[in-house]
Amino acid sequence: MLIEVKDLKKTYGAIEALKGVSFNIEAGEIVGLLGHNGAGKTTCMKILTGFIEPTAGEVRVGGQDVVSHRLEVQRRMGYLPESAPLYPEMLVQEYLEMAAGLRGIPEDGRRRAISKAVYRTGLEQVLARPIGKLSKGFRQRVGLAQAILHEPEILILDEPTSGLDPTQIVEIRQLIKDLSKHSTILFSTHILPEVEAVCQRAIIIIGGSIAWDADFTELHRHGAHVLRLLDAPDEAAEAVRRLQGVAAVTPVRENDVLTLRIRTEEGRDAGNDLFELSKKESWKVVELRRDVDNLESVFNRLMKEREAA
């Protein structure tokens, strides 16, 4: 396991930013860290990268503890914080040369490292321009270039598409996919489509705790069946509840149509059982379909559950 996070906690006075977060990331994964503003995403990333220490818990990278082996772990990482550490008065070339020196890249290898990072991030045409004169999209590219100069094993990106226009977002998405060929990537966002467009897996943090952690193959196995019946009695919902493998039934009546939203255990496909039951009970079926879960539906459901609690 490349990254191991165990019972991570962080408090700021009376505020609990993280409340016992645990997860693992394997080499080669692209993982999205998703949550509302203030959920604890940035705090988690700052601990992972060794910039702040946890109140309790443990983080290991390649078997090394982040607190006791901070510099060794940081050498294996590239980090782009939400506000990239850029100097607007510096030329792009100058900034990358400075960053290469800070990274400890030997002088005889710096030109090659900078050229490779520039090519991978598409900065060839702006090397001689001041960073402050670049668009937000190009400034994000400069931030990414400094993060990959040393060809890190792990990339930690905090809100990499924040403030970008739609065209720039697409460009950064593609860049992240390209970088994943060489690095394990963890990036945070509160934009749901970002995660589904780029990641293989998502971790949702709500109120400082992990509310959901699964890859998208697992996500798409789950969902709900929707059965719409014409002139069906209210007792139809109870009959569906008695079917094997049915976990929950939510009935909604609109005029003469009874809509049943049916969740099954382990995402089991109950379509045939629902069809046979409707036939047996002589229900008039208007519609029978299965809705596959997506990240938005999962996130909204989790947020509603939190609000209800």
Side-chain angles (χ1 to χ4, degrees), residues 42 68 76-77 89 101 113 160 164 166 178 208 255 277:
T42 294
S68 57
R76 304 174 69 171
M77 288 185 173
E89 71 280 1
L164 302 186
D178 293 341
N255 299 321
L277 178 63

Side-chain angles (χ1 to χ4, degrees), residues 78-146:
Y79 177 40
L80 176 64
E82 185 174 2
S83 298
L86 304 177
Y87 298 90
E89 71 280 1
M90 295 183 74
L91 304 182
V92 173
Q93 178 79 33
E94 292 173 339
Y95 174 78
L96 293 179
E97 288 172 354
M98 180 191 72
L102 292 173
R103 275 292 181 186
I105 299 173
E107 286 190 28
D108 59 357
R110 287 181 192 174
R111 178 172 293 183
R112 179 181 177 277
I114 291 171
S115 295
K116 192 169 183 179
V118 165
Y119 175 76
R120 290 169 71 185
T121 54
L123 292 172
E124 297 94 333
Q125 304 303 315
V126 298
L127 281 174
R129 293 180 60 184
I131 292 173
K133 299 294 185 181
L134 301 179
S135 67
K136 180 70 182 290
F138 269 113
R139 291 200 299 274
Q140 287 292 79
R141 287 173 179 269
V142 174
L144 279 169
Q146 66 80 24

Side-chain angles (χ1 to χ4, degrees), residues 232-272:
D234 292 336
E235 290 76 13
E238 188 57 39
V240 170
R241 283 192 187 95
R242 290 195 293 267
L243 288 175
Q244 184 177 2
V246 170
V249 178
T250 304
V252 176
R253 184 176 289 281
E254 297 178 22
N255 299 321
D256 296 330
V257 176
L258 177 65
T259 299
L260 305 177
R261 189 168 183 84
I262 303 133
R263 288 201 166 270
T264 56
E265 298 169 357
E266 299 297 327
R268 180 175 174 272
D269 188 346
N272 188 60

